[in-house]
Amino acid sequence: MQTMTRQMAKDIRVIGRFTEVWCAGHRHDGRQPVTVPGSDKPLQLCPECAGFFEYAVLKRQKCPLEAEKPSCKKCRIHCYAPQQRDKVRQIMAWSGRRMLLRGRLDYLWHYFF
Ligand SMILES: [Zn+2]
């Protein structure tokens, strides 16, 4: 594991949380604890969502724009492959709405796609 910046750890926690809300909300089967890099709280994710989360973590850790990064939404590279980019958009929109309904506004700053 490479060292992570605080921003990186925060971004990873956020995408993880959104993915968890998505996974639980869609009642996916076989949810298991998944380790979150930079956090001691595991997420409950099904194998498919865990795979997606791993991909997101990898992309975030490899981000070449770390220093100048405003947010993934404004990124000029858009490093996600089209399929994952679609998925992250779906997840952020769906989970974002759900968190909004539950008053979880703290998760809804600048974020992602
Ligand atoms: Zn799932």
Side-chain angles (χ1 to χ4, degrees):
M1 181 62 59
Q2 67 194 108
T3 46
M4 291 203 295
T5 63
R6 286 184 54 198
Q7 186 60 43
M8 207 183 271
K10 186 172 158 191
D11 286 352
I12 287 169
R13 274 202 307 279
V14 170
I15 184 68
R17 182 73 188 115
F18 272 81
T19 309
E20 188 180 53
V21 169
W22 164 269
C23 189
H26 287 80
R27 306 189 188 288
H28 290 168
D29 291 331
R31 297 169 66 222
Q32 288 188 338
V34 172
T35 310
V36 182
S39 166
D40 49 12
K41 277 171 71 183
L43 298 169
Q44 292 287 331
L45 297 176
C46 76
E48 194 192 322
C49 292
F52 169 78
F53 177 61
E54 255 173 51
Y55 178 86
V57 168
L58 199 72
K59 286 294 185 185
R60 186 61 189 84
Q61 287 179 327
K62 287 186 182 306
C63 178
L65 301 180
E66 185 61 30
E68 58 173 281
K69 194 173 177 57
S71 76
C72 287
K73 190 172 186 169
K74 294 181 187 141
C75 184
R76 59 186 160 80
I77 290 185
H78 286 304
C79 62
Y80 281 48
Q83 201 188 337
Q84 270 82 5
R85 215 177 144 198
D86 266 8
K87 178 137 183 160
V88 80
R89 276 201 180 119
Q90 272 184 346
I91 289 177
M92 296 316 267
W94 192 92
S95 299
R97 243 190 330 268
R98 178 161 269 224
M99 285 181 193
L100 195 63
L101 291 173
R102 291 178 178 177
R104 295 309 306 267
L105 289 164
D106 49 329
Y107 277 108
L108 294 173
W109 10 245
H110 68 261
Y111 221 61
F112 254 115
F113 296 89

